[in-house]
Amino acid sequence: MIRSARGLDRRRFLQLGAAGVVVVGAGAFAGVRLLGASRPVGPADAIVAATEAARHSTGNIVRRELRAAPTTIDLAGRTVQTWAFDGTVPGPELRVQAGDELRIRLSNGLPAPTSVHWHGISLRNDMDGVPGITQDAVAAGDTFDYTFVAPHPGTYWFHPHVGVQLDTGLQAPLIVEDPNEPGRYDEEVVLVLDDWTDGWGDSPDQILARMKRDGMTMSGSSMAGMAMDGMAMGGSDTGSMSMSDSMPSADRPLGADTGDVAYPVHLINGRPPQDPFVISASPGRRIRLRIINAGSDTAYRFAVGGHRLTVTHTDGFPVDPLEVDTLILGMGERYDVVITAGDGAFPIVAVPEGKAAAPAAAVLRTASGPTPPADARPAELEGRLLAYADLTPTAAAALESRAPDSELELNLQMVDGGRQWFINGAPFGDHDALQVRADERVRLVMTNASMMFHPMHLHGHTFALVGANGRPGIRKDTINVLPMGTVAVDLQADNPGQWALHCHNTYHAELGMMTVLSYVA
C-alpha cells in the first residue's frame, strides 16, 4: 500500500499536543484537513515523550556547553574566517556510553539563527534540530537545551540544519561507545573528512546563490543545461557526453558527475595535506578508524597506503568483518575499519570521488622516515572497492525479517538544470509528506531520475537495505542512490514524530530535495 500525507512547510514550526492542537505561528497545519480521521504526531506529542522514556538508559547524564560562533582557523599558514563549535574544526568530540542521557546547551554566538542535528541518533523527535519540522531555529544570542538518550552505540556526528551552514566549520563527532564492545583492537582514531571553501574560496551562501541563478556546473560531465523531469531529459544542450557515458561504471562507481562545487582544499580532522593530521602508533598495533564524511558536496574514496581495511561497522551498526582495499563514503556516511599498523610512515588519503582535486591526506607513522608526499596516491585506491552488497549485518544488528505493511515511493529529480531538486515532483514545502503509523514495517523505494548520485539520509531511524533475496541487509541511515538507479530499504516505524528525509548533498537539500516521514495517529 502506498500512502502520503499533505504538506509540512519548511517555514512552519510544529507544536502538536496530545489533544491534537496544532500551532504553527499565524497559520494552520495544512495537512490536518487532508488526513481524514488521522492527525500528524508532532514533536511535542505525548507518545514522543513516552517512546523516549521507554529507551534503555544507564542513568548517567552527560552535560556539555556547546557554543556556535565565528572563529579564525589556520590551514597550513592560510588564515581563514569561518563558523565553528567551540572555536575548533571539527568541533570537540562528544563521547558517551550507549544509554547515556545527553544534556547539551547550545549557545548561539553566530550572527544568524542555527540549530544542531544529531546525525544518525534515534532520539526523541523534539530534539532532532530541524527548524520548520521539529523546533524553531535558535536565534542569534539565544540558547537551546537539547536533552535525549543516545540508545545505540556507533560512530555519529552533529551539525546545523539551517541553510548551508554545514559547509562552514560547524560539525563534530559524536561517539557512542558500546559497553559490550568485543575490543578486537588496541586503539581508535576518529577521522573527519571535509570539503573546504569557507574563508578560502566562495562562501557557501555565495555558492548557493550562484546555483539558484545559474544552475549546476555539472562538474565532471560537461552536460550543462541538462534537466530532468521524472525519467525524461529536458533542455536542448546535453553537451558531448551521452547518458550511457555518464552512468556508473567500474571506474566511475558513482557516475560521471559527482558534485557541483570545486573546493579549494580537502581536510582530514581540520588539517590540509600540507600540514597533515598524524596518527602515531607502534608497528603491529590494531587501530580502529572511525571515518566520518562531513563534506557537503564531495564523496571520498578512502585508503591507507600499505594496509588493507577490515570493515566492521557502517553508519554505526556492526557488520561481519570484511577485508577490502578501499571504500567510498557519500556525504553523511560513516564506516569503522580496523587496520594492523605496519612499520614506517604511510599515507592516509581521501580522494574526492569524480573530482579533479588533490586528496585530503593524513599520515600513519610508526617509525622514523620521510613523510609521504601530500599528493600520494597509494595503490590501494585501485584495489578491491567495498560495495553495499559485500556486507552482511551481524546477527545482533540485523532487522527482523518481516513483510512490509506499507510501501512509499520517492522519485528523486533534477529540475531546471539543477536550480531545483525535487522529490515526487515538487520541492520541499510544496509536496506531500510520507505518511506512516507507529509499529509498521515500511518499505521506502527510492528511484533516482537524475544523472547525479544522492546520499539519502533519514532522521531518527536506521533502515535495512533490502537484499536480492528480499531479506533485510545492512543497517544504515544514509545510503547512496546511484544515477538512474533504485534502492529499496525497510525500516521499523518505532520512533514517532515528524522526520526529515533528504539528500545529504547540502546544496541539493537546500534547493528542494527534502521531504518528511510523517507519523500519524
Side-chain angles (χ1 to χ4, degrees), residues 8 12-18 21-24 29 39-52 55 123-136 144 147 495-500 516-519:
L8 287 170
R12 294 170 179 163
F13 169 47
L14 308 185
Q15 293 176 308
L16 285 79
V21 177
V22 184
V23 180
V24 286
F29 182 44
R39 67 169 184 83
V41 175
D45 235 345
I47 192 173
V48 171
T51 302
E52 179 74 358
R55 299 191 203 280
L123 77 175
R124 56 183 297 154
N125 191 224
D126 55 348
M127 296 289 112
D128 192 45
V130 185
I133 298 177
T134 65
Q135 69 167 99
D136 281 324
F144 186 88
T147 302
N495 199 13
Q498 305 295 317
W499 300 101
V516 174
L517 188 77
S518 176
Y519 280 70

Side-chain angles (χ1 to χ4, degrees), residues 38 53 81 84 177 185 211 213 235 252 266 283 299 322 393 458 485 503:
S38 302
Q81 304 292 321
E177 295 182 336
Y185 56 91
M211 288 181 179
R213 184 187 69 239
R252 293 186 303 206
H266 296 266
L322 178 73
L458 174 61
C503 177

Side-chain angles (χ1 to χ4, degrees), residues 325-365:
D325 295 300
T326 185
L327 53 82
I328 291 175
L329 301 95
M331 296 78 86
E333 285 192 290
R334 292 91 62 211
Y335 282 100
D336 292 15
V337 305
V338 174
I339 60 173
T340 301
D343 190 353
F346 305 93
I348 300 171
V349 297
V351 176
E353 184 70 15
K355 292 186 175 184
V363 173
L364 169 64
R365 179 175 289 282

Side-chain angles (χ1 to χ4, degrees), residues 250-274:
D251 60 337
R252 293 186 303 206
L254 298 182
D257 191 11
T258 58
D260 301 319
V261 184
Y263 286 89
V265 67
H266 296 266
L267 312 178
I268 295 181
N269 286 357
R271 307 278 286 274
Q274 296 75 19

Side-chain angles (χ1 to χ4, degrees), residues 238-256:
T238 58
S240 60
M241 182 172 291
S242 68
M243 181 179 290
S244 60
D245 290 335
S246 303
M247 294 294 286
S249 61
D251 60 337
R252 293 186 303 206
L254 298 182

Side-chain angles (χ1 to χ4, degrees), residues 397-483:
L399 191 67
E400 179 186 2
S401 184
R402 173 178 155 187
D405 299 302
S406 62
E407 183 174 298
L408 301 170
E409 294 181 348
L410 289 86
N411 291 307
L412 314 177
Q413 302 151 325
M414 184 181 80
V415 179
D416 195 17
R419 291 181 179 87
Q420 283 190 300
W421 292 90
F422 284 4
I423 293 179
N424 292 344
F428 178 51
D430 293 336
H431 58 66
D432 293 354
L434 304 172
Q435 179 177 308
V436 300
R437 294 182 184 276
D439 300 323
E440 284 187 327
R441 177 64 58 84
V442 180
R443 177 160 295 174
L444 302 177
V445 181
M446 295 177 279
T447 298
N448 185 352
S450 80
M451 295 307 296
M452 291 186 71
F453 88 100
H454 299 291
M456 297 302 295
H457 171 52
L458 174 61
H459 290 211
H461 300 74
T462 61
F463 44 67
L465 184 64
V466 177
N469 57 5
R471 296 180 62 82
I474 55 173
R475 297 280 292 277
K476 290 181 66 61
D477 56 67
T478 308
I479 195 161
N480 297 325
V481 185
L482 299 182

